[in-house]
Amino acid sequence: MKTGQNMTAEEIDSTEPDSFGNGVLTRRHPELIAKVRLSVPYPPAVQRSLDQLAETIRDVVPPFTEPSADRTAWEAWVAPYVGRPWLEVPFLWAESYFYRLLLQATGYFGDGPWAGVDPFKSQKDAELVSGELDRDLDQIAGIVTAPEEEGLHSALLASLWGNRSDLGFRLSKPQSADAAQVDDLIVDDANQVWSHLSEHDAGRVDLIADNAGRELVSDLVLIDRLLSTRRAARVVLHLKPQPYFVSDATVHDLLTILGHLSSHTGAVAAMTARLAAAIADGRIAIQAHAFWCSPLTFHDIPDDLAGGFKESGLVIVKGDLNYRRLVGDRCWPPASSFSDLVEHFPAPLVALRTLKSDLAVGIPDDRLALLEAHEPGWRTDGTHAVLQARLS
């Protein structure tokens, strides 16, 4: 599915030394390789492959050579950039290709004993036994037993702020939300979302997940509230079919979280039982399309995925990466219209994003001036967020 919109802004690359992308490619990715080596006791052959990858990402983009099921697709995606310095190719594409090469280096797609082993599993699991998650879960009872409007709004905010590993589980009426959160929430279209759901018969809602761990827990709370309050008759939860970026949520991560939550009592256990029952009877459908692990933007959604979205009353798009794919990871002026940039999307949508990269659109002029003057790191420090909707 292609958009007719004229993409006039340049794609974001990583050539500027102080840019976010430059830091990711030159520092974060080498550190991640080292962390994977330490967290998983890979054999010498895999360790050598990881060392080779560390050298490769300091040079130029290599061709894709792995004899895997997705080889044809990746060969086509890589062809325009082979031999070019990593910093000069589109940042979104470079990140995606790095993670595909990392899985290749660990033998994830091979036929040996390390096939299918998630190199990030230990990092994801550590979050589930953290004190932060326990404190979050202590607040679930307030959300799932609150009056509908209050509980729904709190669940939506929890899902939003979960994107910065801070679920923000708290009761807060829409008109009296926590002052610090409101200040951090640059754009808030929540009222439009509730009006849209109230004006339409309960039907299908899609949630495109981002991270596992505490964020996916927050997404499950929102799904539970949508079903329990009959704002949705069915929820389609979109997960990654394989590990992607470090903490991206897979079906295995979902099952791990449900198992962890089922060991709790009270409201948490009751919610977990409702979620498991809804999966079993089809009210929650799990999908894991290969598109979510591709280097493509939402302008290239395959027809089968787009066809499903056309049946949805609302698509909830989670996270920074999905947001970049949604509007196009380009040098848009921050005041650019969010609605115009997502007009290609085939369904009503709301984007829940904590800002963690240079891209920013739909920012009101007055707020933009304050941010630039007083909070120079607002685009990338993960403390600010947007809740932006396009519902027609």
Side-chain angles (χ1 to χ4, degrees):
M1 177 177 173
K2 306 284 186 178
T3 178
Q5 184 175 326
N6 181 22
M7 285 291 198
T8 55
E10 294 183 359
E11 290 181 294
I12 294 174
D13 60 27
S14 309
T15 54
E16 291 297 324
D18 295 330
S19 68
F20 180 78
N22 187 283
V24 169
L25 296 186
T26 62
R27 295 188 297 276
R28 183 182 297 179
H29 286 176
E31 291 170 358
L32 177 59
I33 293 173
K35 190 167 188 176
V36 166
R37 282 199 58 171
L38 289 173
S39 61
V40 183
Y42 284 119
V46 173
Q47 294 180 41
R48 288 193 293 271
S49 294
L50 289 170
D51 290 341
Q52 183 178 359
L53 177 60
E55 292 296 325
T56 297
I57 61 175
R58 286 196 284 264
D59 193 12
V60 297
V61 174
F64 187 84
T65 59
E66 185 179 21
S68 55
D70 59 355
R71 179 172 182 172
T72 299
W74 272 106
E75 285 179 336
W77 295 331
V78 170
Y81 307 115
V82 170
R84 293 178 57 183
W86 282 90
L87 299 180
E88 295 180 6
V89 304
F91 174 48
L92 187 151
W93 184 92
E95 277 195 292
S96 184
Y97 191 38
F98 164 77
Y99 281 101
R100 181 59 182 78
L101 292 177
L102 179 60
L103 288 184
Q104 175 179 326
T106 65
Y108 184 88
F109 296 102
D111 55 7
W114 299 97
V117 174
D118 185 345
F120 314 124
K121 183 178 185 299
S122 63
Q123 299 177 56
K124 295 176 183 178
D125 290 350
E127 192 174 13
L128 294 181
V129 295
S130 68
E132 289 84 357
L133 179 58
D134 288 338
R135 287 192 291 272
D136 296 335
L137 296 179
D138 286 342
Q139 303 302 317
I140 284 182
I143 291 180
V144 300
T145 60
E148 286 190 4
E149 180 183 3
E150 192 173 347
L152 273 168
H153 190 76
S154 295
L156 185 67
L157 289 179
S159 182
L160 168 65
W161 291 114
N163 188 235
R164 67 176 181 187
S165 294
D166 179 5
L167 303 190
F169 280 130
R170 68 193 68 189
L171 281 177
S172 55
K173 295 182 180 179
Q175 66 272 23
S176 61
D178 179 82
Q181 267 196 354
V182 171
D183 185 62
D184 289 344
L185 188 51
I186 301 171
V187 181
D188 183 3
D189 291 341
N191 288 337
Q192 297 179 34
V193 174
W194 302 133
S195 295
H196 176 80
L197 289 174
S198 298
E199 293 168 0
H200 296 77
D201 293 336
R204 168 173 166 169
V205 171
D206 288 64
L207 192 151
I208 303 172
D210 188 21
N211 296 318
R214 297 169 67 200
E215 180 172 357
L216 187 55
V217 172
S218 71
D219 296 339
L220 293 174
V221 173
L222 177 58
I223 290 172
D224 177 69
R225 291 297 83 208
L226 289 169
L227 291 173
S228 296
T229 62
R230 299 168 300 284
R231 295 306 198 280
R234 179 170 177 257
V235 174
V236 180
L237 175 60
H238 298 268
L239 301 170
K240 303 296 191 299
Q242 65 203 37
Y244 192 39
F245 286 32
V246 178
S247 56
D248 280 6
T250 66
V251 177
H252 183 271
D253 295 322
L254 170 66
L255 297 177
T256 299
I257 286 172
L258 290 174
H260 179 80
L261 296 182
S262 66
S263 66
H264 289 256
T265 59
V268 174
M271 181 191 73
T272 307
R274 289 194 298 270
L275 291 167
I279 295 172
D281 66 24
R283 286 177 295 131
I284 297 176
I286 309 300
Q287 294 188 9
H289 199 287
F291 172 76
W292 304 122
C293 293
S294 77
L296 305 176
T297 71
F298 280 34
H299 303 83
D300 297 300
I301 296 176
D303 291 340
D304 58 339
L305 198 55
F309 287 145
K310 289 177 182 177
E311 300 175 1
S312 184
L314 180 70
V315 178
I316 303 169
V317 181
K318 289 295 307 291
D320 191 81
L321 174 61
N322 282 328
Y323 188 96
R324 292 159 59 199
R325 300 173 82 172
L326 179 63
V327 304
D329 202 33
R330 295 174 177 267
C331 301
W332 303 115
S336 300
S337 167
F338 173 79
S339 293
D340 289 348
L341 291 176
V342 301
E343 65 180 357
H344 61 89
F345 196 80
L349 67 91
V350 56
L352 309 182
R353 177 210 183 192
T354 299
L355 278 70
K356 301 174 185 174
S357 64
D358 289 319
L359 174 71
V361 301
I363 311 300
D365 288 336
D366 56 345
R367 189 63 199 275
L368 178 63
L370 289 173
L371 289 167
E372 295 288 3
H374 302 290
E375 301 180 61
W378 66 276
R379 291 175 182 249
T380 60
D381 61 13
T383 62
H384 294 81
V386 292
L387 195 163
Q388 293 171 305
R390 191 227 66 193
L391 302 170
S392 60

